[in-house]
Amino acid sequence: MNTKLAASCLSICLVSPALALDCADGQSAFIHAGGETCIPEQPQRIIGLHDQSVTLTLVELGAPVIGSHGRVDDDEQLYMRSVDLLFGLDFDSGQIGFAGTWDQMDFEAMAAMTPDLIIGRENDMDAHDKYEAIAPTVFIADTPADPMAFPRGIADAAGVSDTYEAQLAIYEANLERARFALPQVQGATYSKIQGWEGKLEVYAGYGGLTKVLADLGFERGTAGQEMADRGVVWGEEVSAEILPELEADYLFDTYTIAYGDTLADPALRLNDAVPGWCDFLTACSEGRYIVLPREYATGFSFTQLNMLLQMITTNVATSAAPQG
């Protein structure tokens, strides 16, 4: 089912109560990007179809996760990105089973886990029939206008909405404290940039980082806002000629712990893409180029959002204020 068809189905389901499913006792109808599905009201055996977004949220909220999508590192070892870093969980512990990689999901292994619910992203709907043959499956849409709609949808499906709301209240309290500590960032501009394989990349959005920056009062710079206005959710490869449009009060970049990056690597990658780039952008030359771990920057778990608040507050507070 494509995105337009899913949106149409969702709209019809919302305005047509007569079409609601007649679910068995202990189940309820759940509207999602793939339509409407009867799912357990309190699922006990959940598989997450994406480690860094779905599984991470489920683990953080205390949902009963028995399986997850995973990855293979350079040493041929399986891992769950961010789940390992933030919660110390891996496939060897026996708590969570390996359900395959993004390009080769293991449907037999998933069936052997006997899940009562499978939760995925809108991007996972191509294999809808295969997942549904194993257990009731829901696909949560990523909504750029409301970035928390995704983890909220996961919490609703997993029956842990109360925990979600409690964690949200903690984040909002931490946010107020950070705003009090950083009055200078209200209306300050930023650009999210990155060098990769000799190319310059600019981002309109970068998951949780974009949300936290907006919550603190930052505003996108010229290039990022132009992309957002065109509907770009993440980023694009750009020409070095647009470097003047990246001028902003602050620059943000990321390094990847899972790849063995150091804090110096992002700047070196940018220099491969645009030699001498730092001299051309005031925020860098004046010390407001801030590098954060990608494992914290992209997701919407409350652990990630709260860590981002702390790291941004510390970096901004110890940086020279923008001139003028």
Side-chain angles (χ1 to χ4, degrees):
M1 182 181 293
N2 62 33
T3 303
K4 290 183 178 179
L5 185 57
S8 176
C9 174
L10 179 59
S11 175
I12 293 171
C13 290
L14 287 173
V15 299
S16 304
L19 297 178
L21 296 178
D22 183 13
C23 299
D25 290 343
Q27 294 193 331
S28 59
F30 188 85
I31 298 173
H32 56 102
E36 189 176 19
T37 303
C38 289
I39 67 172
E41 293 175 351
Q42 290 296 324
Q44 299 300 311
R45 301 180 62 80
I46 305 174
I47 290 178
L49 296 183
H50 190 260
D51 53 358
Q52 198 172 9
S53 54
V54 179
T55 305
L56 180 62
T57 298
L58 291 168
V59 169
E60 179 178 65
L61 296 178
V65 188
I66 61 161
S68 175
H69 147 278
R71 304 167 195 248
V72 184
D73 65 18
D74 292 339
D75 297 322
E76 300 299 315
Q77 298 298 307
L78 303 175
Y79 72 102
M80 290 174 283
R81 189 170 179 181
S82 294
V83 179
D84 55 354
L85 175 67
L86 299 180
F87 294 102
L89 292 176
D90 55 37
F91 293 114
D92 293 331
S93 67
Q95 297 181 51
I96 299 177
F98 177 62
T101 58
W102 68 270
D103 59 344
Q104 191 172 353
M105 296 301 290
D106 191 335
F107 297 101
E108 290 186 5
M110 293 172 67
M113 295 177 201
T114 62
D116 58 3
L117 178 64
I118 298 173
I119 302 178
R121 307 162 299 162
E122 199 169 10
N123 293 344
D124 300 312
M125 289 200 298
D126 286 347
H128 178 279
D129 292 343
K130 292 182 179 180
Y131 296 125
E132 277 289 346
I134 298 170
T137 304
V138 298
F139 302 96
I140 310 301
D142 188 2
T143 309
D146 180 10
M148 296 308 287
F150 184 78
R152 188 184 303 117
I154 295 172
D156 289 345
V160 289
S161 296
D162 289 348
T163 306
Y164 171 89
E165 294 299 332
Q167 290 295 317
L168 178 61
I170 293 171
Y171 168 73
E172 290 176 341
N174 288 335
L175 176 61
E176 286 306 310
R177 286 188 282 270
R179 284 174 176 161
F180 178 79
L182 300 176
Q184 69 270 35
V185 304
Q186 296 298 314
T189 58
Y190 76 92
S191 290
K192 168 61 181 82
I193 59 177
Q194 175 179 298
W196 192 255
E197 297 181 342
K199 306 294 184 181
L200 176 62
E201 297 177 353
V202 178
Y203 289 82
Y206 206 76
L209 176 60
T210 303
K211 171 181 170 53
V212 172
L213 290 173
D215 286 348
L216 285 169
F218 285 90
E219 298 176 359
R220 292 185 184 90
T222 303
Q225 188 57 54
E226 187 274 332
M227 288 181 182
D229 291 342
R230 287 192 284 108
V232 177
V233 176
W234 285 88
E236 293 179 338
E237 181 182 308
V238 300
S239 166
E241 295 176 357
I242 78 158
L243 209 61
E245 298 176 40
L246 303 181
E247 190 68 78
D249 295 319
Y250 295 86
L251 298 174
F252 288 90
D253 200 346
T254 55
Y255 70 103
T256 306
I257 297 171
Y259 295 167
D261 271 355
T262 70
L263 281 165
D265 288 328
L268 294 175
R269 284 193 286 264
L270 278 168
N271 211 55
D272 287 341
V274 186
W277 70 276
C278 188
D279 296 330
F280 294 104
L281 295 176
T282 305
C284 182
S285 61
E286 293 183 354
R288 293 185 301 281
Y289 170 61
I290 297 173
V291 179
L292 303 170
R294 192 168 303 166
E295 283 83 354
Y296 290 105
T298 55
F300 292 102
S301 78
F302 291 111
T303 301
Q304 290 167 308
L305 298 179
N306 285 313
M307 285 297 294
L308 282 171
L309 280 175
Q310 295 179 26
M311 289 187 285
I312 293 169
T313 299
T314 300
N315 277 277
V316 171
T318 55
S319 300
Q323 301 299 311

